[in-house]
Short mmCIF file of all heavy atoms in Angstrom, two decimals:
data_model
loop_
_atom_site.label_atom_id
_atom_site.label_comp_id
_atom_site.label_asym_id
_atom_site.label_seq_id
_atom_site.Cartn_x
_atom_site.Cartn_y
_atom_site.Cartn_z
N GLY P 10 12.16 -10.55 36.47
CA GLY P 10 11.23 -9.42 36.52
C GLY P 10 10.76 -9.03 37.90
O GLY P 10 11.58 -8.78 38.82
N ARG P 23 8.16 1.97 44.16
CA ARG P 23 8.16 2.70 42.90
C ARG P 23 7.46 1.87 41.80
O ARG P 23 8.10 0.95 41.24
CB ARG P 23 9.58 3.04 42.45
CG ARG P 23 9.63 4.06 41.31
CD ARG P 23 11.07 4.35 40.89
NE ARG P 23 11.64 3.31 40.08
CZ ARG P 23 11.46 3.24 38.75
NH1 ARG P 23 10.71 4.10 38.12
NH2 ARG P 23 12.02 2.25 38.07
N GLU P 54 3.90 2.66 17.38
CA GLU P 54 2.55 2.30 17.77
C GLU P 54 2.37 2.31 19.28
O GLU P 54 1.30 2.69 19.79
CB GLU P 54 2.17 0.94 17.21
CG GLU P 54 2.31 0.80 15.68
CD GLU P 54 1.53 1.88 14.93
OE1 GLU P 54 0.69 2.61 15.53
OE2 GLU P 54 1.75 1.99 13.70
N GLU P 65 -5.34 9.89 30.04
CA GLU P 65 -6.06 9.20 31.11
C GLU P 65 -5.26 9.23 32.46
O GLU P 65 -5.71 8.63 33.45
CB GLU P 65 -6.30 7.76 30.72
CG GLU P 65 -7.16 7.59 29.48
CD GLU P 65 -8.56 8.11 29.68
OE1 GLU P 65 -9.18 7.80 30.70
OE2 GLU P 65 -9.04 8.88 28.79
N VAL P 75 -5.88 -1.41 32.30
CA VAL P 75 -6.80 -2.57 32.35
C VAL P 75 -7.47 -2.70 30.98
O VAL P 75 -7.32 -1.89 30.08
CB VAL P 75 -7.84 -2.38 33.47
CG1 VAL P 75 -7.17 -2.39 34.82
CG2 VAL P 75 -8.64 -1.10 33.26
N ASP P 78 -9.34 0.10 29.32
CA ASP P 78 -8.52 1.10 28.66
C ASP P 78 -8.34 0.75 27.18
O ASP P 78 -8.36 1.66 26.32
CB ASP P 78 -7.16 1.25 29.33
CG ASP P 78 -7.27 1.90 30.70
OD1 ASP P 78 -7.84 2.97 30.79
OD2 ASP P 78 -6.74 1.33 31.68
N TYR P 82 -9.60 3.04 24.13
CA TYR P 82 -8.59 3.41 23.14
C TYR P 82 -9.10 3.12 21.71
O TYR P 82 -8.99 3.94 20.81
CB TYR P 82 -7.31 2.67 23.43
CG TYR P 82 -6.17 2.90 22.46
CD1 TYR P 82 -5.72 4.18 22.15
CD2 TYR P 82 -5.51 1.83 21.88
CE1 TYR P 82 -4.67 4.40 21.30
CE2 TYR P 82 -4.47 2.03 21.00
CZ TYR P 82 -4.04 3.30 20.72
OH TYR P 82 -2.97 3.50 19.84
N LEU P 111 5.77 -7.98 28.94
CA LEU P 111 5.75 -7.54 30.35
C LEU P 111 5.19 -8.62 31.25
O LEU P 111 5.68 -8.87 32.34
CB LEU P 111 4.94 -6.24 30.47
CG LEU P 111 5.51 -5.01 29.79
CD1 LEU P 111 4.48 -3.85 29.85
CD2 LEU P 111 6.85 -4.59 30.38
N MET P 164 12.58 -2.13 -9.67
CA MET P 164 11.18 -2.41 -9.97
C MET P 164 11.04 -3.73 -10.74
O MET P 164 10.13 -4.50 -10.49
CB MET P 164 10.56 -1.24 -10.76
CG MET P 164 10.37 0.03 -9.91
SD MET P 164 9.29 1.27 -10.69
CE MET P 164 10.31 1.78 -12.09
N ALA P 177 14.25 -6.11 -0.30
CA ALA P 177 15.03 -5.43 -1.34
C ALA P 177 16.05 -4.48 -0.75
O ALA P 177 17.18 -4.36 -1.19
CB ALA P 177 14.10 -4.71 -2.31
N LEU P 187 24.15 -14.65 -10.21
CA LEU P 187 23.82 -14.70 -11.63
C LEU P 187 24.07 -16.05 -12.25
O LEU P 187 23.27 -16.53 -13.04
CB LEU P 187 24.62 -13.63 -12.37
CG LEU P 187 24.24 -12.16 -12.09
CD1 LEU P 187 25.16 -11.22 -12.84
CD2 LEU P 187 22.78 -11.87 -12.42
N LYS P 198 10.90 -11.38 6.57
CA LYS P 198 9.91 -11.06 7.60
C LYS P 198 9.88 -12.10 8.72
O LYS P 198 9.72 -11.76 9.89
CB LYS P 198 8.52 -10.94 6.95
CG LYS P 198 7.43 -10.46 7.87
CD LYS P 198 6.13 -10.28 7.10
CE LYS P 198 5.03 -9.78 8.02
NZ LYS P 198 3.76 -9.53 7.26
N VAL P 205 15.30 -16.91 -4.29
CA VAL P 205 14.25 -16.73 -5.26
C VAL P 205 14.87 -16.80 -6.65
O VAL P 205 15.93 -16.24 -6.89
CB VAL P 205 13.49 -15.40 -5.07
CG1 VAL P 205 12.76 -15.40 -3.72
CG2 VAL P 205 14.41 -14.21 -5.14
N PRO P 206 14.19 -17.48 -7.57
CA PRO P 206 14.76 -17.66 -8.92
C PRO P 206 14.58 -16.38 -9.79
O PRO P 206 13.64 -15.62 -9.59
CB PRO P 206 13.96 -18.80 -9.50
CG PRO P 206 12.65 -18.74 -8.78
CD PRO P 206 12.95 -18.22 -7.39
N THR P 220 27.44 -3.58 -13.47
CA THR P 220 28.56 -2.98 -14.20
C THR P 220 28.58 -1.47 -13.97
O THR P 220 29.62 -0.87 -13.73
CB THR P 220 28.47 -3.30 -15.69
OG1 THR P 220 28.49 -4.71 -15.88
CG2 THR P 220 29.62 -2.68 -16.47
N ARG P 222 27.18 0.13 -11.47
CA ARG P 222 27.36 0.38 -10.00
C ARG P 222 28.85 0.33 -9.65
O ARG P 222 29.34 1.19 -8.90
CB ARG P 222 26.61 -0.69 -9.21
CG ARG P 222 26.76 -0.54 -7.69
CD ARG P 222 26.26 -1.78 -6.99
NE ARG P 222 26.37 -1.66 -5.55
CZ ARG P 222 27.49 -1.80 -4.84
NH1 ARG P 222 28.62 -2.08 -5.47
NH2 ARG P 222 27.47 -1.68 -3.51
N LEU P 230 23.28 -3.56 -2.36
CA LEU P 230 23.12 -3.64 -3.82
C LEU P 230 22.68 -2.32 -4.42
O LEU P 230 23.22 -1.85 -5.41
CB LEU P 230 22.06 -4.72 -4.13
CG LEU P 230 21.67 -4.89 -5.60
CD1 LEU P 230 22.88 -5.30 -6.43
CD2 LEU P 230 20.55 -5.91 -5.74
N GLU P 236 27.24 7.04 -3.51
CA GLU P 236 27.76 5.70 -3.26
C GLU P 236 27.53 5.23 -1.82
O GLU P 236 28.35 4.49 -1.24
CB GLU P 236 29.25 5.60 -3.63
CG GLU P 236 29.47 5.87 -5.12
CD GLU P 236 30.88 5.51 -5.59
OE1 GLU P 236 31.76 5.36 -4.71
OE2 GLU P 236 31.06 5.38 -6.80
N VAL P 248 8.39 3.74 -6.61
CA VAL P 248 7.25 3.33 -7.47
C VAL P 248 6.25 4.46 -7.60
O VAL P 248 5.72 4.72 -8.67
CB VAL P 248 6.59 2.06 -6.90
CG1 VAL P 248 5.45 1.59 -7.79
CG2 VAL P 248 7.60 0.95 -6.70
N ALA P 255 4.34 8.52 -15.00
CA ALA P 255 3.69 7.80 -16.10
C ALA P 255 2.21 8.11 -16.19
O ALA P 255 1.53 7.67 -17.14
CB ALA P 255 3.90 6.28 -15.93
N GLY P 256 1.68 8.87 -15.22
CA GLY P 256 0.27 9.23 -15.24
C GLY P 256 -0.65 8.07 -14.94
O GLY P 256 -1.81 8.04 -15.41
N PHE P 283 2.31 -23.94 -3.86
CA PHE P 283 3.53 -24.24 -3.11
C PHE P 283 4.73 -23.46 -3.65
O PHE P 283 5.53 -22.94 -2.88
CB PHE P 283 3.81 -25.76 -3.13
CG PHE P 283 2.78 -26.56 -2.39
CD1 PHE P 283 1.87 -27.33 -3.08
CD2 PHE P 283 2.70 -26.52 -1.02
CE1 PHE P 283 0.89 -28.06 -2.42
CE2 PHE P 283 1.74 -27.24 -0.33
CZ PHE P 283 0.84 -28.02 -1.02
N MET P 294 -0.37 -20.51 4.15
CA MET P 294 -0.97 -20.54 2.81
C MET P 294 -2.10 -19.52 2.63
O MET P 294 -2.63 -19.36 1.53
CB MET P 294 -1.54 -21.94 2.53
CG MET P 294 -0.51 -22.98 2.27
SD MET P 294 0.27 -22.70 0.64
CE MET P 294 1.26 -24.19 0.51
N VAL P 299 -5.55 -16.64 -1.37
CA VAL P 299 -6.27 -15.46 -1.80
C VAL P 299 -5.87 -15.14 -3.24
O VAL P 299 -6.72 -14.87 -4.12
CB VAL P 299 -6.00 -14.25 -0.90
CG1 VAL P 299 -6.54 -12.96 -1.52
CG2 VAL P 299 -6.60 -14.47 0.46
N LEU P 321 -28.50 -24.35 -23.77
CA LEU P 321 -29.89 -23.91 -23.52
C LEU P 321 -30.34 -22.99 -24.67
O LEU P 321 -29.74 -21.93 -24.90
CB LEU P 321 -29.97 -23.17 -22.17
CG LEU P 321 -31.35 -22.71 -21.73
CD1 LEU P 321 -32.28 -23.93 -21.50
CD2 LEU P 321 -31.22 -21.88 -20.45
#
Side-chain angles (χ1 to χ4, degrees):
R23 192 181 78 84
E54 304 305 349
E65 299 297 312
V75 295
D78 289 308
Y82 177 54
L111 295 172
M164 291 193 293
L187 291 177
K198 186 175 182 178
V205 295
T220 301
R222 179 193 182 282
L230 176 61
E236 299 192 342
V248 183
F283 294 107
M294 286 290 187
V299 171
L321 184 64

